[in-house]
């Protein structure tokens, strides 16, 4: 653990916690907010990083890897989450796969696109309907605790987990704030 | 290993075979070192009916996802040859997965598609392959150079032997008839997962949480 934890960005903390929990496989469809984390993961030989065409594929790849004994995580934005309900309901939930998801929350707290806002409103009802553990990370101080605990609980309880990256975490200090991804 | 590009049989020239028969021919060549992930419906029903190897995964409901699941298994266990079995309708739903496999250059993965030209299990409606879509041409276009139509049963076995012996990714397409599958998979998802993970020797390691 670094001496000065306050110097760490959320991206660095996430990367470190994934390593500490032996989460080696990353499958993502890009998102602007996740872009710096994605670059860091690509640059780090510890991780196998796959960029499939659809989020559904990413869910299936990480699920298959779990069956084979490799831990992984899916990175996506809210729009991507809106495309994976069938994969969660027909694969992840009934087969009891501890799928880790990190979702960049778009469409709230100052998004300029109505379409992102409407898509965003579908996320929590789906997570709740499926009984999937989820938590919105809003403060830098909380990143390590929440990510570490949610990853561990997923594997302990054999259940999926959705870590939601709130704009409060990813945008608040980012004053040129409007992004188009 | 010779490229399959030399195998130039077209879809039109390929013999119409039988899924149960070809599944049994495939399984007869496999041991504990090979994993098979079979897609929705008939595809996994025939795998089930061919004998319940612990290294078989029966994907019950997620149409199109057998191939990406197989890619995940192949990434996790690079020493193991992994076969993905899909119907044509299922593969058509997730064509991007072919490009993902090509981009990953997944050496230990072989894809087999059963092309009956229909969505058989939902009532036999025509799929795109019945009006000219050629899945081998699509696979090659996606970057899978080792892609071929099986011209008959003997050729299917030759292609499977090559996939077992050498580095892929491999793509084998077989035209099949409209016969019903030879059995029905027992639908206990948790049990299917547990048996498969035990068959792959994966359960203990991945379930132990560090720290
Ligand atoms: C996303 C989704 N759409 C539709 C269905 C309904 N459905 C289940 S099986 C199937 C047909 C599968 O066709 P194919 O893969 O060609 O296999 P076949 O039935 O011909 O053996 C369909 C359309 C589904 N399960 N999921």
């Amino acid at each position: 653990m670094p001496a000065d934890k306050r110097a760490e960005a959320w991206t660095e903390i996430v990367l470190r916690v994934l390593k500490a929990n032996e989460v080696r496989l990353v499958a993502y469809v890009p998102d602007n907010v996740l872009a710096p984390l994605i670059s860091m993961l690509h640059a780090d030989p510890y991780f196998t990083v796959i960029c499939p065409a659809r989020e559904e594929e990413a869910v299936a790849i990480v699920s298959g890897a779990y069956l084979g004994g490799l831990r992984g995580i899916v990175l996506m934005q809210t729009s991507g989450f809106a495309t994976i309900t069938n994969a969660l309901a027909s694969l992840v939930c009934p087969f009891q796969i501890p799928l880790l998801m990190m979702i960049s929350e778009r469409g709230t707290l100052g998004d300029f696109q109505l379409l992102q806002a409407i898509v965003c409103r579908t996320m929590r009802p789906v997570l709740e309907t499926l009984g999937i553990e989820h938590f919105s990370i809003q403060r830098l101080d909380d990143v390590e605790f929440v990510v570490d605990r949610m990853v561990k609980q997923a594997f302990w309880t054999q259940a999926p987990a959705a870590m939601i990256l709130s704009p409060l975490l990813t945008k608040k200090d980012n004053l040129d704030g409007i992004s188009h991804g | 290993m010779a490229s399959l590009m030399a195998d130039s049989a077209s879809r039109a020239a390929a013999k119409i075979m039988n899924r149960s028969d070809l599944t049994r021919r495939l399984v007869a060549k496999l041991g504990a070192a090979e994993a098979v992930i079979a897609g929705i419906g008939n595809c996994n029903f025939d795998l089930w009916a061919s004998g319940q190897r612990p290294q078989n995964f029966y994907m019950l409901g997620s149409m199109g996802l057998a191939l990406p699941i197989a890619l995940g298994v192949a990434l996790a266990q690079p020493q193991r040859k992994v076969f993905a079995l899909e119907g044509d309708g299922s593969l058509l739903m997730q064509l991007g997965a072919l490009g993902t496999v090509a981009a990953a250059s997944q050496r230990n993965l072989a894809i087999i598609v059963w092309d009956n030209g229909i969505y058989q299990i939902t009532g036999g409606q025509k799929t795109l392959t019945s009006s000219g879509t050629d899945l081998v041409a699509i696979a090659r276009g996606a970057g899978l150079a080792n892609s071929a139509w099986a011209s008959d049963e003997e050729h299917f076995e030759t292609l499977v032997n090559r996939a077992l012996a050498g580095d892929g990714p491999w793509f084998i397409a077989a035209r099949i008839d409209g016969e019903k599958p030879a059995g029905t998979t027992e639908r206990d998802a948790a049990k299917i997962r547990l048996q498969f993970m035990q068959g792959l020797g994966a359960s203990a390691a991945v379930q132990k949480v560090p720290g």
Side-chain angles (χ1 to χ4, degrees), chain B residues 10 18 54 69 73 76 79 86 129 145 147 165 167-168 179 187 194:
Chain B
S10 65
N18 176 267
I69 293 169
V73 175
Q79 79 293 351
E86 282 280 31
T129 67
S147 300
D167 283 349
E179 286 294 311
R187 292 171 188 270
L194 263 174

Side-chain angles (χ1 to χ4, degrees), chain B:
Chain B
M1 188 61 49
S3 160
L4 291 187
M5 291 296 275
D7 293 295
S8 55
S10 65
R11 182 177 190 274
K15 181 182 170 188
I16 295 176
M17 297 176 275
N18 176 267
R19 185 181 46 234
S20 304
D21 174 51
L22 295 182
T23 304
R24 285 172 199 275
R25 286 173 191 259
L26 165 71
V27 169
K29 296 176 186 296
L30 307 181
E34 289 84 27
V36 186
I37 289 80
I40 194 166
N42 297 324
C43 200
N44 77 67
F45 293 176
D46 264 325
L47 182 66
W48 175 272
S50 74
Q52 287 117 58
R53 302 164 66 248
Q55 298 81 16
N56 288 351
F57 185 75
Y58 311 94
M59 197 215 61
L60 300 176
S62 317
M63 191 173 166
L65 295 186
L67 170 52
I69 293 169
L71 173 58
V73 175
L75 283 161
Q77 301 216 353
Q79 79 293 351
R80 193 183 284 283
K81 190 79 39 129
V82 180
F83 286 83
L85 310 183
E86 282 280 31
D88 55 331
S90 297
L91 186 65
L92 285 163
M93 191 171 270
Q94 207 65 243
L95 288 175
L98 296 171
T100 310
V101 169
S105 309
Q106 199 62 39
R107 292 185 292 115
N108 59 329
L109 184 62
I111 303 156
I112 297 179
V113 60
W114 309 128
D115 182 358
N116 52 12
I118 53 173
Y119 298 102
Q120 185 185 359
I121 206 165
T122 50
Q125 305 85 352
K126 287 182 177 176
T127 64
L128 295 175
T129 67
S130 69
S131 48
T133 298
D134 184 321
L135 292 170
V136 168
I138 289 176
R140 285 184 183 153
L144 297 173
N146 288 314
S147 300
W149 283 102
S151 50
D152 57 18
E153 286 84 355
E154 194 187 338
H155 187 221
F156 175 79
E157 294 208 25
T158 305
L159 294 172
V160 171
N161 287 341
R162 281 196 224 171
L164 281 167
D167 283 349
W170 305 90
F171 183 91
I172 302 168
R175 289 191 71 178
I176 57 159
D177 59 29
E179 286 294 311
K180 287 205 161 77
T184 313
T185 306
E186 187 186 296
R187 292 171 188 270
D188 184 335
K191 185 171 158 195
I192 290 171
R193 176 183 57 75
L194 263 174
Q195 287 182 342
F196 182 64
M197 289 181 76
Q198 281 160 6
L200 264 53
S203 23
V206 76
Q207 281 163 352
K208 188 175 157 287
V209 177

